[in-house]
């Protein structure tokens, strides 16, 4: 068995590439196998794309019917894309996805004269999205803007988008970078994007390693536990900023395998661009003496579960001094080994399962972790890789 953890490809990047491959065609390398990417593959097939090995070719028979499971990315980005190419879309999804914010997308579509029928676990849309000039609000997700960007690129023409209130714009930049690989030019000036897709073409794409998936292991290393990490990392994902956050705390960081504590101190971090790694930042800060604040975390309430309160609840149950209000987490840290032997409620959320697993490393006794296989949404091999962590309680003294 390998004694190191090989981090697979980014699901966020992979979903964007697969969706665009359904329109332009692509050869895709290092495609991760997780539930969210499987949802993207089903979507591509519903678009009429045909896969042979790692090559996707568009132009087959399109059913325009797909099950996107629990993937908010496929739902929010897929509907505009399918409407732009086929003028209709029928997407079914798991019940938990129905509770996540979608009103902004539907209001936008209805303003474009698209018929929208919402059922408990299905959305039916009919109507075309054409090239042109658009205005859109982001609400609680940047994925609405990313979806419209991809839809307009599929028209192979020139368009523009004026946007407002887009959170986590770095994820839109990921979409822009992915479009560039397909020959689509996107220029940004202030709150407007100009799209030129007249020269769009097929692409060959290597999916980079997932910073969201390596975040739990980075947290483990920051807590003094030992694990060797490998992957093909690029600085193209917002969650790569975890290393910068650790530097602000006082860690000496040369890379994912070189994280050493020096004079650690509490911090105030704006987490608006990095919501997925907030639980792991909070965990590390429970071991940093003093009071820290993580701000701009309100969007955590709209993830697979209310991650804001779930994070606070889980860490508090273990013994951490942590609290939150609507948009901030406050942590009074101190080095300690927790007793453990508690129930870790995870609400079926893959990130919360991973948080509980890493928090368990700092416990004398194992936790009872709910819904352990929820990790399959993004990281099916998590528990096998987790066993490669060497626990070190001497670090805490």
């Amino acid at each position: 068995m390998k004694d190191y953890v090989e981090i697979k490809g980014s699901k966020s990047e992979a979903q964007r590439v697969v969706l665009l491959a359904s329109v332009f065609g692509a050869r895709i390398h290092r495609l991760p196998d997780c539930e969210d990417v499987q949802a993207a593959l089903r979507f591509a097939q519903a678009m009429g794309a045909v896969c042979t090995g790692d090559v996707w070719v568009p132009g087959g028979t399109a059913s325009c019917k797909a099950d996107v499971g629990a993937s908010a990315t496929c739902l929010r980005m897929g509907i505009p894309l399918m409407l732009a190419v086929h003028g209709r879309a029928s997407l079914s999804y798991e019940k938990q996805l129905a509770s996540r914010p979608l009103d902004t997308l539907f209001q936008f579509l209805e303003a474009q004269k698209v018929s929208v029928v919402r059922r408990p676990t299905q959305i039916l849309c009919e109507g075309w999205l054409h090239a042109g000039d658009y205005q859109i609000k982001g609400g609680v997700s940047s994925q609405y803007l990313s979806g419209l960007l991809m839809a307009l690129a599929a028209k192979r023409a020139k368009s523009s988008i004026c946007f407002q209130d887009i959170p986590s714009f770095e994820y839109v930049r990921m979409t822009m970078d992915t479009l560039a690989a397909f020959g689509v030019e996107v220029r940004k000036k202030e709150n407007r994007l100009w799209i030129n897709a007249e020269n769009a073409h097929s692409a060959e794409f290597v999916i980079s390693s997932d910073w969201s998936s390596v975040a739990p292991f980075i947290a483990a290393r920051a807590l003094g536990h030992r694990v060797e990490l490998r992957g093909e990392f690029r600085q193209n994902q917002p969650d790569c900023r975890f290393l910068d956050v650790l530097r602000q705390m006082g860690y000496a960081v040369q890379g994912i395998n070189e994280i050493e504590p020096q004079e650690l101190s509490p911090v105030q971090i704006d987490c608006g661009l990095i919501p997925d790694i907030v639980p792991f930042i909070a965990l590390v800060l429970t071991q940093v003496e003093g009071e820290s604040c993580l701000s701009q975390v309100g969007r955590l309430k709209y993830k697979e579960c209310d991650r804001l309160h779930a994070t606070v609840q889980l860490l508090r149950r273990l013994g951490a001094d942590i609290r939150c209000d609507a948009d901030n987490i406050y942590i009074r840290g101190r080095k300690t080994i927790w007793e453990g032997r508690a129930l870790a409620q995870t609400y079926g959320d893959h990130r919360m399962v991973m948080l509980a697993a890493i928090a368990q490393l700092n416990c004398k006794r194992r936790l009872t972790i709910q819904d352990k296989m929820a990790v399959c949404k993004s990281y099916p091999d998590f528990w096998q890789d987790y066993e490669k962590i060497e626990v070190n309680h001497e670090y805490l003294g």
Side-chain angles (χ1 to χ4, degrees):
M1 184 177 70
K2 295 187 295 186
D3 59 356
Y4 60 87
V5 174
E6 180 78 30
I7 301 298
K8 303 297 193 298
S10 162
K11 77 177 182 70
S12 295
E13 191 175 295
Q15 287 176 292
R16 287 163 169 78
V17 173
V18 170
L19 264 61
L20 289 170
S22 73
V23 178
F24 303 119
R27 181 185 294 274
I28 309 173
H29 304 279
R30 298 189 75 245
L31 194 67
D33 182 17
C34 63
E35 289 178 355
D36 276 5
V37 173
Q38 289 297 325
L41 297 177
R42 292 193 297 271
F43 178 91
Q45 291 168 343
M47 288 279 287
V50 178
C51 180
T52 304
D54 55 5
V55 176
W56 284 86
V57 179
T61 302
S63 68
C64 297
K65 296 180 180 179
D67 178 2
V68 298
S71 174
T73 299
C74 286
L75 186 63
R76 291 169 176 161
M77 296 186 190
I79 289 174
L81 184 62
M82 197 171 273
L83 292 176
V85 178
H86 297 293
R88 57 192 175 92
S90 173
L91 300 185
S92 56
Y93 49 87
E94 292 183 11
K95 190 174 182 179
Q96 69 185 79
L97 192 53
S99 63
R100 300 185 66 177
L102 294 167
D103 287 345
T104 299
L105 173 61
F106 298 133
Q107 290 167 4
F108 168 79
L109 292 175
E110 288 168 350
Q112 313 310 314
K113 310 302 182 185
V114 172
S115 169
V116 178
V117 177
R118 302 175 65 172
R119 296 174 179 169
T121 58
Q122 186 182 33
I123 293 172
L124 306 172
C125 299
E126 189 165 350
W128 291 90
L129 289 181
H130 303 282
D133 300 322
Y134 289 85
Q135 294 186 355
I136 191 169
K137 292 184 178 181
V140 298
S141 177
S142 64
Q143 292 173 349
Y144 304 131
L145 178 54
S146 286
L148 183 57
L149 265 176
M150 288 196 268
L152 295 178
K155 306 306 290 189
R156 299 177 184 266
K158 292 182 178 180
S159 300
S160 72
I161 307 171
C162 181
F163 59 87
Q164 299 177 29
D165 304 324
I166 299 296
S168 295
F169 193 84
E170 291 302 309
Y171 283 98
V172 180
R173 290 197 184 279
M174 183 189 296
T175 305
M176 293 164 63
D177 290 344
T178 308
L179 284 166
F182 288 90
V184 179
E185 179 187 1
V186 182
R187 293 184 296 108
K188 176 182 180 295
K189 184 176 181 181
E190 297 177 346
N191 66 331
R192 184 174 289 275
L193 298 172
W194 284 269
I195 305 103
N196 183 352
E198 292 177 328
N199 298 313
H201 53 69
S202 62
E204 185 164 6
F205 209 99
V206 180
I207 307 296
S208 60
S209 293
D210 190 11
W211 282 97
S212 298
S213 293
V214 80
F217 297 98
I218 290 176
R221 290 195 64 94
L223 293 172
H225 309 296
R226 303 182 186 96
V227 59
E228 183 180 349
L229 305 168
R230 298 185 185 178
E232 297 184 23
F233 292 95
R234 296 198 294 266
Q235 305 297 309
N236 65 335
Q237 302 163 39
D239 290 345
C240 71
R241 296 184 181 183
F242 198 174
L243 298 183
D244 292 330
V245 171
L246 293 177
R247 292 186 183 100
Q248 287 182 252
M249 295 179 197
Y251 285 89
V253 180
Q254 298 301 319
I256 57 175
N257 287 309
E258 298 177 75
I259 300 171
E260 298 294 335
Q262 294 185 330
E263 294 185 15
L264 301 184
S265 58
V267 292
Q268 295 188 7
I269 304 291
D270 183 336
C271 296
L273 297 177
I274 48 174
D276 284 345
I277 59 174
V278 166
F280 305 104
I281 297 172
L283 172 60
V284 174
L285 286 171
T286 65
Q287 306 300 313
V288 176
E289 301 278 353
E291 184 164 316
S292 296
C293 176
L294 304 179
S295 62
Q296 300 297 314
V297 297
R299 287 176 54 231
L300 288 174
K301 292 181 286 188
Y302 305 108
K303 295 293 184 176
E304 282 81 347
C305 74
D306 181 346
R307 282 187 196 158
L308 176 57
H309 290 93
T311 297
V312 171
Q313 178 191 57
L314 191 156
L315 296 179
R316 183 186 290 161
R317 178 168 293 180
L318 294 180
D321 186 347
I322 181 171
R323 59 187 174 87
C324 67
D325 56 28
D327 209 29
N328 303 278
I329 296 176
Y330 306 95
I331 305 154
R332 186 174 293 277
R334 62 184 179 90
K335 279 193 175 183
T336 186
I337 299 175
W338 294 312
E339 184 65 26
R341 200 168 56 187
L343 174 65
Q345 293 180 308
T346 62
Y347 306 98
D349 185 331
H350 57 134
R351 304 288 181 206
M352 297 310 302
V353 173
M354 294 178 200
L355 174 64
I358 303 303
Q360 181 174 251
L361 301 175
N362 274 40
C363 294
K364 296 177 185 177
R365 297 174 176 83
R366 296 183 76 84
L367 306 176
T368 300
I369 301 175
Q370 290 182 330
D371 304 310
K372 292 179 70 172
M373 295 317 296
V375 295
C376 293
K377 178 174 170 62
S378 62
Y379 196 158
D381 296 332
F382 174 78
W383 289 110
Q384 295 95 302
D385 289 342
Y386 177 78
E387 293 300 323
K388 299 171 186 176
I389 301 173
E390 182 181 347
V391 179
N392 176 22
H393 281 164
E394 294 180 3
Y395 167 79
L396 292 173

